Amino acid sequence: MSAYASEDQEVDVMYGLQNVLTQIQAAVARRAKDLPQITPRLVAVSKIKPAALIVQAYEAGQRHFGENYVNELADKAIDPLILESCKDIKWHFIGHLQTNKINKLLGSPGLFMVQTVHSDKLADNLNKQWLKFRKGDEKLKVMVQINTSGEEAKNGVPPLEATNLSQHVINHCPNLEYVGLMTIGQYDYDVSQGPNPDFISLAKCRQEVCNNLNLDINNVELSMGMSTDYEHAIELGATTIRVGSTIFGARPPKQAKTN
Ligand SMILES: *Cc1c(COP(=O)(O)O)cnc(C)c1O
C-alpha cells in the first residue's frame, strides 16, 4: 500500500477530469481576444493522493501532474505502478524547492518542469546541477514564481523583480528554458469583488517582462488558477492551470510539514 493512500474515499477521477476539461474549453471561449490564444495545459495536482489514482487519470488521457513536496514527487516518480503504467508522465514541481533537495528532484524520471524558481541562486543551482541529469542537451523547463499577493508565507519574488529574475534565467542559465511566470496568490478570493488581483498582477508582470526583455508574449506562459478559480484564471490569460481536489477529491486538512 502506498504511503500516500490516505483514507479511502470514492472518487471518480475520470468524471472529475472530463468535467474540468469541459470547463476549460468553455473558459477558453470566454477569454479576452487580445490575450494569447494558448490552449491551457492542465496540471493535475496529485499531492497526498495514491499512485493508483494517478494511473486512473493517466489512463483517462492526462499526462501532466504536479506535486509540491520533493520527496513525494521523487517517490511517486519511481513507484513501480507509475513507471509501468505511465511511461509518458510529465511531472511539474510546484512547491518550495530547497537547495538540499535539488538533486533528488532533478533525478526523478519524467520531471518536466520546475514552476517555482524564486531566486537567482536557485536558478544558478538548477542550471549547474541539471548538467548531471539531463539527457542529451535537453534544457530544464522553468517558471519564475511571483508573490503577487505579497503574503509573507508565500514564496516568489515581488512583481517588481519579475524582469530581473527572468532576465537572469534567460541570460545566465544556458541549461534552463524560460517558460514563463507562476503565482499561487491569495486563497478564497471572492470573485464577486471583481477580477482576481493576483491574476491581473501576473498578467501585468508578463507584459512588463516582455516589454523589458523584448520577448514575444505568445511565448511566455502564465501558471495560475486552482480548483476554485481555474476558469476565471483562464479568462484572464492562464496558460497552465493547477487543479487538484476537483479531479482527485478533497484532501484531508493541512498537516504539519514532514519534509
Ligand atoms: C495544492 C496546490 C494546487 C491545487 O489545489 P486545488 O485547490 O486542490 O486544486 C495548485 N497549486 C499549488 C501550488 C498547490 O500546492
Side-chain angles (χ1 to χ4, degrees):
M1 184 115 162
S2 152
Y4 303 106
S6 48
E7 310 92 83
D8 248 335
Q9 22 173 346
E10 280 302 314
V11 280
D12 188 337
V13 170
M14 200 190 304
Y15 173 82
L17 197 55
Q18 288 306 334
N19 181 39
V20 170
L21 292 172
T22 305
Q23 300 306 328
I24 289 173
Q25 287 209 328
V28 165
R30 293 191 301 268
R31 181 156 65 185
K33 295 297 169 245
D34 57 345
L35 286 165
Q37 298 301 308
I38 300 169
T39 308
R41 174 198 292 119
L42 171 61
V43 175
V45 179
S46 47
K47 61 187 178 203
I48 318 199
K49 299 298 178 178
L53 290 191
I54 295 173
V55 172
Q56 278 184 31
Y58 186 93
E59 286 174 350
Q62 181 63 25
R63 290 294 175 271
H64 294 267
F65 291 83
E67 290 285 343
N68 67 340
Y69 289 114
V70 170
N71 290 346
E72 191 172 343
L73 188 154
D75 285 353
K76 286 174 175 169
I78 58 163
D79 185 303
L81 188 61
I82 289 180
L83 285 174
E84 176 57 32
S85 312
C86 311
K87 297 207 187 301
D88 188 33
I89 197 165
K90 295 171 168 58
W91 291 107
H92 292 241
F93 185 69
I94 59 172
H96 181 57
L97 181 52
Q98 292 158 313
T99 309
N100 62 348
K101 295 275 171 67
I102 287 179
N103 283 348
K104 188 162 197 185
L105 178 64
L106 298 187
S108 298
L111 180 69
F112 182 78
M113 194 189 295
V114 177
Q115 293 200 8
T116 43
V117 172
H118 54 73
S119 67
D120 287 9
K121 186 166 162 266
L122 179 58
D124 289 340
N125 275 316
L126 287 168
N127 181 61
K128 182 161 164 245
Q129 299 303 326
W130 182 239
L131 285 175
K132 292 197 295 209
F133 297 99
R134 68 180 181 182
K135 299 184 189 72
D137 51 11
E138 202 183 316
K139 296 184 182 200
L140 174 66
K141 292 179 173 55
V142 299
M143 288 188 185
V144 162
Q145 183 176 4
I146 311 293
N147 185 353
T148 51
S149 54
E151 293 162 276
E152 253 179 63
K154 298 253 157 73
N155 291 299
V157 294
L160 279 173
E161 290 170 34
T163 293
N164 279 344
L165 183 49
S166 298
Q167 184 169 37
H168 183 82
V169 170
I170 293 168
N171 289 348
H172 299 285
C173 301
N175 306 317
L176 305 183
E177 177 183 338
Y178 176 76
V179 175
L181 304 173
M182 178 269 199
T183 187
I184 295 178
Q186 196 191 317
Y187 295 117
D188 298 329
Y189 173 74
D190 175 6
V191 74
S192 72
Q193 303 299 302
N196 186 320
D198 287 302
F199 300 162
I200 299 282
S201 170
L202 199 68
K204 190 162 156 255
C205 284
R206 175 172 65 177
Q207 191 63 62
E208 286 167 4
V209 167
C210 289
N211 292 347
N212 292 335
L213 303 180
N214 230 325
L215 304 177
D216 180 351
I217 197 166
N218 294 293
N219 294 333
V220 181
E221 288 207 31
L222 297 179
S223 173
M224 58 190 194
M226 322 204 297
S227 283
T228 53
D229 53 15
Y230 67 91
E231 296 156 83
H232 182 52
I234 290 169
E235 290 170 11
L236 295 179
T239 67
T240 291
I241 55 170
R242 311 177 308 265
V243 179
S245 44
T246 298
I247 297 170
F248 294 113
R251 290 181 299 273
K254 235 182 175 175
Q255 312 141 335
K257 289 188 182 180
T258 53
N259 61 347

